[in-house]
Amino acid sequence: MDIKLAYKSFVEKSIILIQKNRKYIPFASLLIWYLKIPFLLKIFIAAFAGYIVDKVTYTIGFITLQSKAKNEALSFITAFQNPIDFPDDLVYKYSLMFFSVFITALLPFVVVFVLHFLLANNINETETIMRRRTRKILFYIFLILAFFGTFIIALHSVSFIAYIMLYSSKEISILESLLRYINGKGSPIFESTILSYDSLNEQIKYSFVFEIIGLIFLFVLWYITKLVNKKKKNFVTDFLSTSALSLGLLLGLLIIISHTLYGAGYFGKSLANYDLDFVEIEYKAGGFKTIQGLRIYEDENTVILRDSCDVTHSITSEEFHIISISKVDDVNDCGKKE
């Protein structure tokens, strides 16, 4: 079998298939253009796109991990100032956690986009104007209900993948924990009496998700104003839509500069309060004291950790210093457990 002929036949059939179903396939024109370009150019574009995706993926994970390690929200610039050295596989792990949250936050908009793309053409243009308007109203009501339904699901599950990746190694498999969660039999996975999925989900939801959603709403505002301006050409609509568009772009730019560029940093800071790592804490409580253990939770003036004897300590102090350590020193006089 001739490989060149087989490849050419595959490309031609793919183009015909996309052209026949282009109203159901997103970015159909771009896909057709890609299929028509020479093979070597395809390879170059794919390799370049893969390189860009890899760099973006690594950078997101790097910022997230640096922010978690330093317990502060870092930007693209500050994350690369005196960075802590971590292995690449750990960086990609945290990048995967970030994108799992990001994709979940986008889910309501993706669902509405796909439903609109697939179903909008079903409104028959040959019907009467009144019936067509009624179907359009019902269709957009359906899209709004689909959006809020998916939005509620996303808010309650936005941190689930990150939670699984952080704690799945603690006494229970990912599959078993998922089945337990679906069947309502306890917590999604093992958790201590201090840590909970709900607390992690709330932290990540407020520090990350709402900013992304706000930015997308501004994009929707931009799209609607452009659509209105395109259909109704007069001074009033043109002025109002242009003003709304300018305001939306200005607010969007401010959000990007002031907050969204810190998205991965805020996500990493959220994880810093809930991940388990070995730390040594020096705190002031009638003099300076030192204790080592697994950091379970950290608030502004409170740290909760578990020492080598599995004793949980809640430390509240106006002044303490925390450093990461490789392991907790063994204590031989823990006593027998009852």
Side-chain angles (χ1 to χ4, degrees):
M1 183 178 181
D2 193 330
I3 298 178
K4 290 184 177 180
L5 290 177
Y7 169 75
K8 185 177 180 180
S9 175
F10 171 77
V11 170
E12 291 175 351
K13 290 180 179 179
S14 299
I15 293 174
I16 294 173
L17 180 64
I18 294 173
Q19 287 176 336
K20 287 183 177 180
N21 301 278
R22 64 186 309 150
K23 65 179 181 179
Y24 302 110
I25 302 176
F27 310 109
S29 299
L30 182 62
L31 291 174
I32 292 174
W33 171 82
Y34 181 77
L35 288 170
K36 287 182 177 181
I37 63 176
F39 177 76
L40 292 179
L41 186 56
K42 285 190 182 76
I43 297 297
F44 173 78
I45 293 175
F48 181 74
Y51 174 80
I52 296 298
V53 169
D54 177 72
K55 289 300 181 183
V56 170
T57 302
Y58 183 88
T59 302
I60 291 295
F62 181 84
I63 296 173
T64 300
L65 192 52
Q66 294 296 322
S67 298
K68 174 183 173 295
K70 298 180 180 181
N71 199 13
E72 58 179 304
L74 302 174
S75 68
F76 175 81
I77 297 176
T78 56
F80 285 90
Q81 296 174 351
N82 301 317
I84 301 172
D85 187 25
F86 291 106
D88 289 347
D89 58 342
L90 188 61
V91 174
Y92 283 110
K93 173 186 175 181
Y94 277 86
S95 179
L96 178 60
M97 281 193 284
F98 175 89
F99 280 108
S100 70
V101 175
F102 182 76
I103 291 172
T104 307
L106 291 180
L107 189 60
F109 301 94
V110 173
V111 169
V112 170
F113 173 79
V114 172
L115 289 175
H116 186 276
F117 191 88
L118 294 177
L119 302 177
N121 292 321
N122 292 335
I123 300 176
N124 195 340
E125 295 296 337
T126 62
E127 294 178 349
T128 62
I129 295 177
M130 184 62 67
R131 189 174 180 182
R132 189 163 63 248
R133 286 179 178 176
T134 302
R135 291 191 64 180
K136 283 186 177 181
I137 292 173
L138 293 175
F139 175 66
Y140 285 107
I141 291 175
F142 167 72
L143 290 183
I144 292 172
L145 293 176
F147 173 84
F148 282 106
T150 315
F151 182 74
I152 293 172
I153 294 173
L155 283 185
H156 283 84
S157 59
V158 68
S159 305
F160 185 71
I161 297 178
Y163 191 75
I164 287 288
M165 294 180 69
L166 286 171
Y167 304 108
S168 61
S169 61
K170 308 297 188 297
E171 301 183 2
I172 187 171
S173 68
I174 294 178
L175 179 61
E176 183 180 356
S177 63
L178 181 59
L179 292 176
R180 285 179 57 194
Y181 182 70
I182 294 175
N183 294 324
K185 296 181 179 178
S187 58
I189 61 174
F190 168 80
E191 59 186 19
S192 70
T193 56
I194 304 297
L195 198 66
S196 71
Y197 167 73
D198 291 336
S199 59
L200 176 63
N201 190 58
E202 288 296 316
Q203 180 74 12
I204 291 179
K205 182 169 63 178
Y206 286 109
S207 67
F208 176 78
V209 177
F210 288 144
E211 287 74 19
I212 300 298
I213 291 175
L215 191 61
I216 295 175
F217 267 121
L218 290 175
F219 173 78
V220 173
L221 173 65
W222 171 81
Y223 179 80
I224 292 175
T225 53
K226 292 288 289 184
L227 188 64
V228 171
N229 192 34
K230 181 178 179 181
K231 289 186 175 181
K232 295 182 178 181
K233 288 289 185 180
N234 60 64
F235 174 77
V236 176
T237 58
D238 184 60
F239 175 76
L240 292 177
S241 61
T242 303
S243 300
L245 176 60
S246 301
L247 179 62
L249 292 177
L250 177 61
L251 292 175
L253 184 62
L254 291 176
I255 290 176
I256 290 175
I257 294 174
S258 64
H259 203 112
T260 305
L261 288 178
Y262 288 81
Y266 278 100
F267 178 64
K269 181 171 173 59
S270 299
L271 297 181
N273 292 328
Y274 295 93
D275 196 7
L276 302 179
D277 56 343
F278 295 107
V279 294
E280 179 178 291
I281 301 176
E282 182 182 14
Y283 62 99
K284 186 176 182 180
F288 284 96
K289 300 180 181 179
T290 302
I291 189 171
Q292 295 181 348
L294 285 169
R295 177 166 54 183
I296 299 174
Y297 174 82
E298 179 184 345
D299 201 353
E300 185 175 355
N301 296 315
T302 302
V303 177
I304 298 174
L305 77 162
R306 188 166 59 247
D307 63 22
S308 59
C309 298
D310 287 331
V311 176
T312 301
H313 303 263
S314 179
I315 303 169
T316 301
S317 175
E318 292 295 328
E319 182 178 356
F320 54 74
H321 180 67
I322 303 175
I323 60 172
S324 296
I325 56 177
S326 59
K327 64 178 182 178
V328 176
D329 295 334
D330 293 331
V331 178
N332 298 320
D333 56 350
C334 293
K336 296 181 179 180
K337 295 182 178 179
E338 297 182 356

PDB file of all heavy atoms in Angstrom, residues 44-76:
ATOM      1  N   PHE A  44       5.686  21.103  11.253  1.00  0.00           N
ATOM      2  CA  PHE A  44       6.296  22.270  11.890  1.00  0.00           C
ATOM      3  C   PHE A  44       5.295  22.958  12.817  1.00  0.00           C
ATOM      4  O   PHE A  44       5.632  23.308  13.958  1.00  0.00           O
ATOM      5  CB  PHE A  44       6.792  23.256  10.826  1.00  0.00           C
ATOM      6  CG  PHE A  44       7.283  24.551  11.392  1.00  0.00           C
ATOM      7  CD1 PHE A  44       8.541  24.645  11.973  1.00  0.00           C
ATOM      8  CD2 PHE A  44       6.474  25.694  11.369  1.00  0.00           C
ATOM      9  CE1 PHE A  44       8.993  25.839  12.513  1.00  0.00           C
ATOM     10  CE2 PHE A  44       6.915  26.885  11.906  1.00  0.00           C
ATOM     11  CZ  PHE A  44       8.175  26.960  12.475  1.00  0.00           C
ATOM     12  N   ILE A  45       4.071  23.166  12.344  1.00  0.00           N
ATOM     13  CA  ILE A  45       3.048  23.826  13.166  1.00  0.00           C
ATOM     14  C   ILE A  45       2.723  23.004  14.396  1.00  0.00           C
ATOM     15  O   ILE A  45       2.602  23.529  15.513  1.00  0.00           O
ATOM     16  CB  ILE A  45       1.776  24.085  12.328  1.00  0.00           C
ATOM     17  CG1 ILE A  45       2.069  25.126  11.243  1.00  0.00           C
ATOM     18  CG2 ILE A  45       0.625  24.542  13.217  1.00  0.00           C
ATOM     19  CD1 ILE A  45       0.913  25.370  10.298  1.00  0.00           C
ATOM     20  N   ALA A  46       2.595  21.674  14.221  1.00  0.00           N
ATOM     21  CA  ALA A  46       2.293  20.805  15.353  1.00  0.00           C
ATOM     22  C   ALA A  46       3.426  20.828  16.385  1.00  0.00           C
ATOM     23  O   ALA A  46       3.182  20.878  17.594  1.00  0.00           O
ATOM     24  CB  ALA A  46       2.051  19.380  14.865  1.00  0.00           C
ATOM     25  N   ALA A  47       4.673  20.792  15.889  1.00  0.00           N
ATOM     26  CA  ALA A  47       5.815  20.813  16.797  1.00  0.00           C
ATOM     27  C   ALA A  47       5.908  22.152  17.533  1.00  0.00           C
ATOM     28  O   ALA A  47       6.170  22.189  18.746  1.00  0.00           O
ATOM     29  CB  ALA A  47       7.104  20.546  16.016  1.00  0.00           C
ATOM     30  N   PHE A  48       5.690  23.227  16.816  1.00  0.00           N
ATOM     31  CA  PHE A  48       5.752  24.557  17.439  1.00  0.00           C
ATOM     32  C   PHE A  48       4.635  24.724  18.468  1.00  0.00           C
ATOM     33  O   PHE A  48       4.867  25.230  19.579  1.00  0.00           O
ATOM     34  CB  PHE A  48       5.648  25.634  16.363  1.00  0.00           C
ATOM     35  CG  PHE A  48       5.726  27.038  16.899  1.00  0.00           C
ATOM     36  CD1 PHE A  48       6.941  27.562  17.327  1.00  0.00           C
ATOM     37  CD2 PHE A  48       4.587  27.823  16.994  1.00  0.00           C
ATOM     38  CE1 PHE A  48       7.023  28.854  17.828  1.00  0.00           C
ATOM     39  CE2 PHE A  48       4.653  29.115  17.496  1.00  0.00           C
ATOM     40  CZ  PHE A  48       5.872  29.624  17.917  1.00  0.00           C
ATOM     41  N   ALA A  49       3.427  24.295  18.100  1.00  0.00           N
ATOM     42  CA  ALA A  49       2.306  24.379  19.034  1.00  0.00           C
ATOM     43  C   ALA A  49       2.568  23.519  20.276  1.00  0.00           C
ATOM     44  O   ALA A  49       2.282  23.927  21.409  1.00  0.00           O
ATOM     45  CB  ALA A  49       1.013  23.943  18.354  1.00  0.00           C
ATOM     46  N   GLY A  50       3.135  22.321  20.057  1.00  0.00           N
ATOM     47  CA  GLY A  50       3.467  21.464  21.189  1.00  0.00           C
ATOM     48  C   GLY A  50       4.500  22.091  22.108  1.00  0.00           C
ATOM     49  O   GLY A  50       4.399  21.977  23.341  1.00  0.00           O
ATOM     50  N   TYR A  51       5.488  22.768  21.513  1.00  0.00           N
ATOM     51  CA  TYR A  51       6.514  23.448  22.300  1.00  0.00           C
ATOM     52  C   TYR A  51       5.903  24.560  23.152  1.00  0.00           C
ATOM     53  O   TYR A  51       6.207  24.691  24.350  1.00  0.00           O
ATOM     54  CB  TYR A  51       7.580  24.022  21.364  1.00  0.00           C
ATOM     55  CG  TYR A  51       8.614  24.876  22.048  1.00  0.00           C
ATOM     56  CD1 TYR A  51       9.682  24.292  22.729  1.00  0.00           C
ATOM     57  CD2 TYR A  51       8.523  26.273  22.013  1.00  0.00           C
ATOM     58  CE1 TYR A  51      10.644  25.076  23.357  1.00  0.00           C
ATOM     59  CE2 TYR A  51       9.470  27.053  22.635  1.00  0.00           C
ATOM     60  CZ  TYR A  51      10.526  26.466  23.308  1.00  0.00           C
ATOM     61  OH  TYR A  51      11.471  27.242  23.934  1.00  0.00           O
ATOM     62  N   ILE A  52       5.017  25.360  22.533  1.00  0.00           N
ATOM     63  CA  ILE A  52       4.359  26.459  23.257  1.00  0.00           C
ATOM     64  C   ILE A  52       3.507  25.906  24.396  1.00  0.00           C
ATOM     65  O   ILE A  52       3.541  26.418  25.528  1.00  0.00           O
ATOM     66  CB  ILE A  52       3.509  27.307  22.303  1.00  0.00           C
ATOM     67  CG1 ILE A  52       4.401  27.995  21.254  1.00  0.00           C
ATOM     68  CG2 ILE A  52       2.709  28.347  23.089  1.00  0.00           C
ATOM     69  CD1 ILE A  52       5.415  28.949  21.821  1.00  0.00           C
ATOM     70  N   VAL A  53       2.731  24.861  24.098  1.00  0.00           N
ATOM     71  CA  VAL A  53       1.868  24.260  25.126  1.00  0.00           C
ATOM     72  C   VAL A  53       2.702  23.725  26.279  1.00  0.00           C
ATOM     73  O   VAL A  53       2.355  23.888  27.455  1.00  0.00           O
ATOM     74  CB  VAL A  53       1.004  23.145  24.508  1.00  0.00           C
ATOM     75  CG1 VAL A  53       0.303  22.337  25.594  1.00  0.00           C
ATOM     76  CG2 VAL A  53      -0.022  23.731  23.552  1.00  0.00           C
ATOM     77  N   ASP A  54       3.826  23.087  25.943  1.00  0.00           N
ATOM     78  CA  ASP A  54       4.695  22.539  26.988  1.00  0.00           C
ATOM     79  C   ASP A  54       5.258  23.648  27.873  1.00  0.00           C
ATOM     80  O   ASP A  54       5.281  23.518  29.105  1.00  0.00           O
ATOM     81  CB  ASP A  54       5.835  21.748  26.344  1.00  0.00           C
ATOM     82  CG  ASP A  54       6.825  21.216  27.380  1.00  0.00           C
ATOM     83  OD1 ASP A  54       6.469  20.266  28.115  1.00  0.00           O
ATOM     84  OD2 ASP A  54       7.947  21.759  27.473  1.00  0.00           O
ATOM     85  N   LYS A  55       5.705  24.745  27.265  1.00  0.00           N
ATOM     86  CA  LYS A  55       6.268  25.855  28.035  1.00  0.00           C
ATOM     87  C   LYS A  55       5.214  26.513  28.923  1.00  0.00           C
ATOM     88  O   LYS A  55       5.481  26.846  30.083  1.00  0.00           O
ATOM     89  CB  LYS A  55       6.891  26.892  27.098  1.00  0.00           C
ATOM     90  CG  LYS A  55       8.179  26.431  26.434  1.00  0.00           C
ATOM     91  CD  LYS A  55       9.242  26.104  27.470  1.00  0.00           C
ATOM     92  CE  LYS A  55      10.540  25.669  26.826  1.00  0.00           C
ATOM     93  NZ  LYS A  55      11.565  25.283  27.847  1.00  0.00           N
ATOM     94  N   VAL A  56       4.008  26.706  28.366  1.00  0.00           N
ATOM     95  CA  VAL A  56       2.932  27.301  29.165  1.00  0.00           C
ATOM     96  C   VAL A  56       2.558  26.382  30.315  1.00  0.00           C
ATOM     97  O   VAL A  56       2.376  26.823  31.461  1.00  0.00           O
ATOM     98  CB  VAL A  56       1.709  27.588  28.272  1.00  0.00           C
ATOM     99  CG1 VAL A  56       0.505  27.983  29.120  1.00  0.00           C
ATOM    100  CG2 VAL A  56       2.030  28.681  27.260  1.00  0.00           C
ATOM    101  N   THR A  57       2.446  25.080  30.020  1.00  0.00           N
ATOM    102  CA  THR A  57       2.101  24.099  31.053  1.00  0.00           C
ATOM    103  C   THR A  57       3.133  24.092  32.169  1.00  0.00           C
ATOM    104  O   THR A  57       2.787  24.112  33.360  1.00  0.00           O
ATOM    105  CB  THR A  57       1.995  22.701  30.435  1.00  0.00           C
ATOM    106  OG1 THR A  57       1.015  22.705  29.400  1.00  0.00           O
ATOM    107  CG2 THR A  57       1.600  21.673  31.490  1.00  0.00           C
ATOM    108  N   TYR A  58       4.408  24.080  31.803  1.00  0.00           N
ATOM    109  CA  TYR A  58       5.474  24.056  32.802  1.00  0.00           C
ATOM    110  C   TYR A  58       5.471  25.345  33.627  1.00  0.00           C
ATOM    111  O   TYR A  58       5.617  25.305  34.853  1.00  0.00           O
ATOM    112  CB  TYR A  58       6.829  23.884  32.123  1.00  0.00           C
ATOM    113  CG  TYR A  58       7.986  23.781  33.094  1.00  0.00           C
ATOM    114  CD1 TYR A  58       8.368  22.551  33.614  1.00  0.00           C
ATOM    115  CD2 TYR A  58       8.683  24.909  33.502  1.00  0.00           C
ATOM    116  CE1 TYR A  58       9.417  22.440  34.513  1.00  0.00           C
ATOM    117  CE2 TYR A  58       9.726  24.822  34.411  1.00  0.00           C
ATOM    118  CZ  TYR A  58      10.092  23.582  34.900  1.00  0.00           C
ATOM    119  OH  TYR A  58      11.133  23.498  35.806  1.00  0.00           O
ATOM    120  N   THR A  59       5.292  26.480  32.955  1.00  0.00           N
ATOM    121  CA  THR A  59       5.319  27.766  33.660  1.00  0.00           C
ATOM    122  C   THR A  59       4.175  27.868  34.668  1.00  0.00           C
ATOM    123  O   THR A  59       4.373  28.336  35.796  1.00  0.00           O
ATOM    124  CB  THR A  59       5.242  28.931  32.657  1.00  0.00           C
ATOM    125  OG1 THR A  59       6.343  28.836  31.745  1.00  0.00           O
ATOM    126  CG2 THR A  59       5.298  30.264  33.376  1.00  0.00           C
ATOM    127  N   ILE A  60       2.996  27.415  34.285  1.00  0.00           N
ATOM    128  CA  ILE A  60       1.850  27.439  35.202  1.00  0.00           C
ATOM    129  C   ILE A  60       2.142  26.573  36.422  1.00  0.00           C
ATOM    130  O   ILE A  60       1.905  26.979  37.572  1.00  0.00           O
ATOM    131  CB  ILE A  60       0.580  26.949  34.488  1.00  0.00           C
ATOM    132  CG1 ILE A  60       0.132  27.957  33.429  1.00  0.00           C
ATOM    133  CG2 ILE A  60      -0.543  26.703  35.496  1.00  0.00           C
ATOM    134  CD1 ILE A  60      -0.313  29.286  33.976  1.00  0.00           C
ATOM    135  N   GLY A  61       2.652  25.363  36.194  1.00  0.00           N
ATOM    136  CA  GLY A  61       2.994  24.492  37.313  1.00  0.00           C
ATOM    137  C   GLY A  61       4.102  25.063  38.172  1.00  0.00           C
ATOM    138  O   GLY A  61       4.086  24.926  39.405  1.00  0.00           O
ATOM    139  N   PHE A  62       5.062  25.730  37.529  1.00  0.00           N
ATOM    140  CA  PHE A  62       6.177  26.336  38.249  1.00  0.00           C
ATOM    141  C   PHE A  62       5.690  27.444  39.180  1.00  0.00           C
ATOM    142  O   PHE A  62       6.071  27.506  40.352  1.00  0.00           O
ATOM    143  CB  PHE A  62       7.184  26.892  37.238  1.00  0.00           C
ATOM    144  CG  PHE A  62       8.397  27.515  37.855  1.00  0.00           C
ATOM    145  CD1 PHE A  62       9.476  26.738  38.241  1.00  0.00           C
ATOM    146  CD2 PHE A  62       8.466  28.889  38.054  1.00  0.00           C
ATOM    147  CE1 PHE A  62      10.605  27.312  38.815  1.00  0.00           C
ATOM    148  CE2 PHE A  62       9.589  29.478  38.625  1.00  0.00           C
ATOM    149  CZ  PHE A  62      10.659  28.682  39.004  1.00  0.00           C
ATOM    150  N   ILE A  63       4.823  28.327  38.659  1.00  0.00           N
ATOM    151  CA  ILE A  63       4.288  29.415  39.484  1.00  0.00           C
ATOM    152  C   ILE A  63       3.460  28.855  40.636  1.00  0.00           C
ATOM    153  O   ILE A  63       3.565  29.308  41.778  1.00  0.00           O
ATOM    154  CB  ILE A  63       3.440  30.362  38.626  1.00  0.00           C
ATOM    155  CG1 ILE A  63       4.304  31.039  37.558  1.00  0.00           C
ATOM    156  CG2 ILE A  63       2.766  31.424  39.492  1.00  0.00           C
ATOM    157  CD1 ILE A  63       3.518  31.859  36.555  1.00  0.00           C
ATOM    158  N   THR A  64       2.624  27.850  40.339  1.00  0.00           N
ATOM    159  CA  THR A  64       1.789  27.232  41.377  1.00  0.00           C
ATOM    160  C   THR A  64       2.640  26.640  42.486  1.00  0.00           C
ATOM    161  O   THR A  64       2.384  26.858  43.675  1.00  0.00           O
ATOM    162  CB  THR A  64       0.901  26.139  40.756  1.00  0.00           C
ATOM    163  OG1 THR A  64       0.060  26.716  39.763  1.00  0.00           O
ATOM    164  CG2 THR A  64       0.047  25.463  41.816  1.00  0.00           C
ATOM    165  N   LEU A  65       3.677  25.899  42.105  1.00  0.00           N
ATOM    166  CA  LEU A  65       4.518  25.228  43.098  1.00  0.00           C
ATOM    167  C   LEU A  65       5.359  26.223  43.890  1.00  0.00           C
ATOM    168  O   LEU A  65       5.535  26.074  45.104  1.00  0.00           O
ATOM    169  CB  LEU A  65       5.412  24.201  42.393  1.00  0.00           C
ATOM    170  CG  LEU A  65       6.164  23.211  43.274  1.00  0.00           C
ATOM    171  CD1 LEU A  65       5.212  22.509  44.239  1.00  0.00           C
ATOM    172  CD2 LEU A  65       6.888  22.188  42.421  1.00  0.00           C
ATOM    173  N   GLN A  66       5.892  27.243  43.213  1.00  0.00           N
ATOM    174  CA  GLN A  66       6.658  28.264  43.928  1.00  0.00           C
ATOM    175  C   GLN A  66       5.764  29.015  44.917  1.00  0.00           C
ATOM    176  O   GLN A  66       6.183  29.326  46.037  1.00  0.00           O
ATOM    177  CB  GLN A  66       7.279  29.250  42.936  1.00  0.00           C
ATOM    178  CG  GLN A  66       8.333  28.652  42.018  1.00  0.00           C
ATOM    179  CD  GLN A  66       9.557  28.170  42.768  1.00  0.00           C
ATOM    180  OE1 GLN A  66      10.010  28.784  43.729  1.00  0.00           O
ATOM    181  NE2 GLN A  66      10.113  27.049  42.331  1.00  0.00           N
ATOM    182  N   SER A  67       4.542  29.300  44.515  1.00  0.00           N
ATOM    183  CA  SER A  67       3.607  29.995  45.401  1.00  0.00           C
ATOM    184  C   SER A  67       3.249  29.126  46.592  1.00  0.00           C
ATOM    185  O   SER A  67       3.132  29.619  47.724  1.00  0.00           O
ATOM    186  CB  SER A  67       2.342  30.378  44.628  1.00  0.00           C
ATOM    187  OG  SER A  67       2.648  31.259  43.570  1.00  0.00           O
ATOM    188  N   LYS A  68       3.066  27.844  46.359  1.00  0.00           N
ATOM    189  CA  LYS A  68       2.766  26.921  47.455  1.00  0.00           C
ATOM    190  C   LYS A  68       3.939  26.823  48.417  1.00  0.00           C
ATOM    191  O   LYS A  68       3.770  26.846  49.636  1.00  0.00           O
ATOM    192  CB  LYS A  68       2.431  25.542  46.903  1.00  0.00           C
ATOM    193  CG  LYS A  68       2.243  24.480  47.968  1.00  0.00           C
ATOM    194  CD  LYS A  68       1.976  23.137  47.322  1.00  0.00           C
ATOM    195  CE  LYS A  68       1.974  22.056  48.396  1.00  0.00           C
ATOM    196  NZ  LYS A  68       3.286  21.896  49.037  1.00  0.00           N
ATOM    197  N   ALA A  69       5.145  26.721  47.857  1.00  0.00           N
ATOM    198  CA  ALA A  69       6.323  26.570  48.697  1.00  0.00           C
ATOM    199  C   ALA A  69       6.582  27.823  49.534  1.00  0.00           C
ATOM    200  O   ALA A  69       6.979  27.729  50.700  1.00  0.00           O
ATOM    201  CB  ALA A  69       7.541  26.267  47.829  1.00  0.00           C
ATOM    202  N   LYS A  70       6.344  28.996  48.963  1.00  0.00           N
ATOM    203  CA  LYS A  70       6.588  30.253  49.670  1.00  0.00           C
ATOM    204  C   LYS A  70       5.352  30.796  50.380  1.00  0.00           C
ATOM    205  O   LYS A  70       5.422  31.810  51.064  1.00  0.00           O
ATOM    206  CB  LYS A  70       7.122  31.306  48.686  1.00  0.00           C
ATOM    207  CG  LYS A  70       8.457  30.907  48.057  1.00  0.00           C
ATOM    208  CD  LYS A  70       8.948  31.969  47.088  1.00  0.00           C
ATOM    209  CE  LYS A  70      10.282  31.565  46.466  1.00  0.00           C
ATOM    210  NZ  LYS A  70      10.801  32.578  45.526  1.00  0.00           N
ATOM    211  N   ASN A  71       4.224  30.110  50.177  1.00  0.00           N
ATOM    212  CA  ASN A  71       2.966  30.469  50.838  1.00  0.00           C
ATOM    213  C   ASN A  71       2.568  31.922  50.549  1.00  0.00           C
ATOM    214  O   ASN A  71       2.148  32.662  51.433  1.00  0.00           O
ATOM    215  CB  ASN A  71       3.057  30.230  52.345  1.00  0.00           C
ATOM    216  CG  ASN A  71       1.680  30.137  52.987  1.00  0.00           C
ATOM    217  OD1 ASN A  71       0.683  30.017  52.296  1.00  0.00           O
ATOM    218  ND2 ASN A  71       1.629  30.189  54.297  1.00  0.00           N
ATOM    219  N   GLU A  72       2.715  32.314  49.283  1.00  0.00           N
ATOM    220  CA  GLU A  72       2.274  33.639  48.858  1.00  0.00           C
ATOM    221  C   GLU A  72       1.943  33.597  47.374  1.00  0.00           C
ATOM    222  O   GLU A  72       2.496  32.798  46.622  1.00  0.00           O
ATOM    223  CB  GLU A  72       3.350  34.700  49.117  1.00  0.00           C
ATOM    224  CG  GLU A  72       4.675  34.424  48.439  1.00  0.00           C
ATOM    225  CD  GLU A  72       5.704  35.513  48.719  1.00  0.00           C
ATOM    226  OE1 GLU A  72       5.379  36.682  48.429  1.00  0.00           O
ATOM    227  OE2 GLU A  72       6.786  35.200  49.202  1.00  0.00           O
ATOM    228  N   ALA A  73       1.008  34.425  46.966  1.00  0.00           N
ATOM    229  CA  ALA A  73       0.585  34.454  45.570  1.00  0.00           C
ATOM    230  C   ALA A  73       1.628  35.179  44.731  1.00  0.00           C
ATOM    231  O   ALA A  73       1.878  36.361  44.914  1.00  0.00           O
ATOM    232  CB  ALA A  73      -0.774  35.139  45.440  1.00  0.00           C
ATOM    233  N   LEU A  74       2.233  34.450  43.795  1.00  0.00           N
ATOM    234  CA  LEU A  74       3.285  35.003  42.957  1.00  0.00           C
ATOM    235  C   LEU A  74       2.780  35.204  41.534  1.00  0.00           C
ATOM    236  O   LEU A  74       1.884  34.504  41.075  1.00  0.00           O
ATOM    237  CB  LEU A  74       4.505  34.068  42.943  1.00  0.00           C
ATOM    238  CG  LEU A  74       5.136  33.765  44.307  1.00  0.00           C
ATOM    239  CD1 LEU A  74       6.234  32.725  44.161  1.00  0.00           C
ATOM    240  CD2 LEU A  74       5.695  35.032  44.930  1.00  0.00           C
ATOM    241  N   SER A  75       3.374  36.140  40.843  1.00  0.00           N
ATOM    242  CA  SER A  75       3.061  36.377  39.443  1.00  0.00           C
ATOM    243  C   SER A  75       4.114  35.703  38.574  1.00  0.00           C
ATOM    244  O   SER A  75       5.045  35.059  39.071  1.00  0.00           O
ATOM    245  CB  SER A  75       3.032  37.881  39.154  1.00  0.00           C
ATOM    246  OG  SER A  75       4.336  38.422  39.264  1.00  0.00           O
ATOM    247  N   PHE A  76       3.978  35.883  37.263  1.00  0.00           N
ATOM    248  CA  PHE A  76       4.949  35.302  36.336  1.00  0.00           C
ATOM    249  C   PHE A  76       6.358  35.827  36.616  1.00  0.00           C
ATOM    250  O   PHE A  76       7.340  35.096  36.496  1.00  0.00           O
ATOM    251  CB  PHE A  76       4.536  35.637  34.899  1.00  0.00           C
ATOM    252  CG  PHE A  76       5.533  35.200  33.865  1.00  0.00           C
ATOM    253  CD1 PHE A  76       5.565  33.889  33.430  1.00  0.00           C
ATOM    254  CD2 PHE A  76       6.445  36.098  33.339  1.00  0.00           C
ATOM    255  CE1 PHE A  76       6.488  33.476  32.478  1.00  0.00           C
ATOM    256  CE2 PHE A  76       7.373  35.705  32.388  1.00  0.00           C
ATOM    257  CZ  PHE A  76       7.387  34.388  31.950  1.00  0.00           C
TER     258      PHE A  76
END
